[in-house]
Amino acid sequence: AYERALTEAARETGELLLVSGDIAAAWQYFKAIDAPAPVADAIQHVNEGENLDRIIEIAFREGVNRRKGFELILKHHGICSAITWFGSNPDPDSRQYCLELLVRRLYSDVAAALKETIAATEGAAPPTDAVAELMANRPWLFEGTSSYVDSTHLTAVTRFALELEDPATLRMALDLADYGQHLNPMFHFRGDSPFEDTYLDHAIYLRALLGEDVEVAIAHFGKKIVGNGDTSPAEALVGLLVRLGRYEDAIEATLRYLPDSIGRSQSCTPVLQLCQMAGDYSKLRRLAQESGDLLGFAAGMIQAGNSRPDL
């Protein structure tokens, strides 16, 4: 009875504070009773005002309404802060949405800067906001050290873009990577393996995710696997094959290039799960048996509908 009364009192107090517009104070009461929904709804209607930074903290860092929180970060603190905040977001449900906002914002900034420069040179701005079209047949845009957004922002967003799933936003990310390739070499920051040439390597990967030049991408990242102890090229290749739905090829690549980990690295889908995704339960049972994974072996038996293993 005491707990019920305490919960009701906290809820009533929080609701009164929300009515008065004090979201930050209200959150302390709703947080205490593990009821974030009213605060999430209130934050959804915030665009500016007092205690905005605290509201952003509650929304994004404390996970009450990460989507709206990220919108507020972009609007009031800019893309640099948004990139930093995005990197700390562990929530897969909001991560795609936030990444799409980030890519679209940077894309818009690049397009606007290109159009302004073209208008100043040609006398009129082109009737398009597509970065690829704005760059086409205008090599003079990149003469000398010309650039149109902060190159560190471009590099960071390009690296994040591999997570994208939405085709339209993937296309924007590819245009940004292509834009980066046009920049003076002084703006090309060396990346981590297997994306050492940040803009080129990411462009190849992103293009494959869009279903273009797929075999070129597979060959490109396959050539980076040199057996020097660096497993990241193999992991990138397996990840690409999984994203493309080529599960049998992903299994083969895992067994060939990552035999010790059997695909258990943080960035790879486990090989037994790949077998399930491919519907290859015979291989699932065999690999599970070889690795002593009784649970995996049983799962392969059940999913295949067999009463006894094929030995």
Side-chain angles (χ1 to χ4, degrees):
Y2 173 79
E3 290 179 355
R4 284 196 301 272
L6 188 64
T7 298
E8 291 171 3
R11 187 181 300 278
E12 182 178 355
T13 305
E15 289 173 350
L16 289 170
L17 287 166
L18 286 180
V19 170
S20 70
D22 195 343
I23 293 175
W27 171 235
Q28 300 305 311
Y29 293 93
F30 285 108
K31 182 179 180 180
I33 60 175
D34 191 24
V39 177
D41 183 64
I43 290 174
Q44 189 62 36
H45 299 89
V46 171
N47 290 305
E48 54 189 18
E50 297 181 1
N51 296 323
L52 186 62
D53 285 346
R54 177 56 186 144
I55 291 173
I56 289 174
E57 285 273 348
I58 293 169
F60 194 86
R61 204 175 299 283
E62 298 192 43
V64 174
N65 189 338
R66 284 195 171 95
R67 295 188 176 201
K68 182 63 177 184
F70 197 75
E71 291 176 11
L72 293 172
I73 292 166
L74 264 177
K75 179 179 179 179
H76 294 280
H77 295 292
I79 196 166
C80 186
S81 292
I83 288 169
T84 301
W85 284 70
F86 176 81
S88 65
N89 184 6
D91 174 39
D93 291 336
S94 63
R95 194 169 172 88
Q96 277 292 317
Y97 176 82
C98 295
L99 181 53
E100 288 178 20
L101 286 181
L102 195 56
V103 171
R104 290 174 181 274
R105 168 64 179 274
L106 184 63
Y107 188 93
S108 175
D109 290 348
V110 171
L114 288 173
K115 289 183 72 170
E116 182 179 351
T117 302
I118 294 170
T121 302
E122 298 180 355
T128 179
D129 292 315
V131 168
E133 294 178 14
L134 292 169
M135 294 190 299
N137 301 317
R138 294 187 176 97
W140 54 266
L141 282 168
F142 302 95
E143 292 177 349
T145 58
S146 298
S147 67
Y148 300 91
V149 292
D150 189 309
S151 54
T152 61
H153 298 169
L154 177 66
T155 300
V157 172
T158 299
R159 289 170 177 166
F160 287 140
L162 298 183
E163 301 178 30
L164 285 168
E165 297 175 358
D166 174 62
T169 316
L170 271 169
R171 177 66 62 185
M172 290 183 178
L174 174 58
D175 283 356
L176 290 175
D178 286 340
Y179 156 82
Q181 291 182 73
H182 284 80
L183 295 174
N184 186 286
M186 69 178 290
F187 298 117
H188 290 218
F189 305 119
R190 183 175 176 81
D192 297 327
S193 174
F195 299 96
E196 296 89 349
D197 190 335
T198 301
Y199 301 126
L200 173 63
D201 290 329
H202 281 84
I204 291 172
Y205 198 102
L206 291 167
R207 188 169 281 108
L209 292 180
L210 286 164
E212 302 169 9
D213 298 333
V214 171
E215 297 304 326
V216 170
I218 292 173
H220 177 80
F221 289 100
K223 290 177 182 178
K224 290 176 175 281
I225 304 172
V226 294
N228 61 355
D230 178 12
T231 61
S232 55
E235 292 170 4
L237 176 60
V238 171
L240 176 60
L241 291 169
V242 172
R243 291 285 301 272
L244 295 172
R246 295 174 57 161
Y247 305 125
E248 290 289 353
D249 292 337
I251 294 169
E252 181 181 345
T254 299
L255 296 176
R256 180 178 179 183
Y257 299 120
L258 301 167
D260 295 332
S261 66
I262 317 181
R264 292 196 181 98
S265 70
Q266 290 185 348
S267 61
C268 277
T269 304
V271 71
L272 298 186
Q273 185 177 340
L274 288 175
C275 292
Q276 290 180 315
M277 295 165 73
D280 192 339
Y281 303 117
S282 176
K283 186 173 292 182
L284 170 60
R285 294 195 302 273
R286 178 174 62 80
L287 292 174
Q289 185 178 31
E290 291 175 357
S291 63
D293 186 341
L294 296 179
L295 183 59
F297 184 83
M301 287 288 298
I302 294 170
Q303 289 176 301
N306 292 334
S307 59
R308 61 190 182 87
D310 298 330
L311 299 175

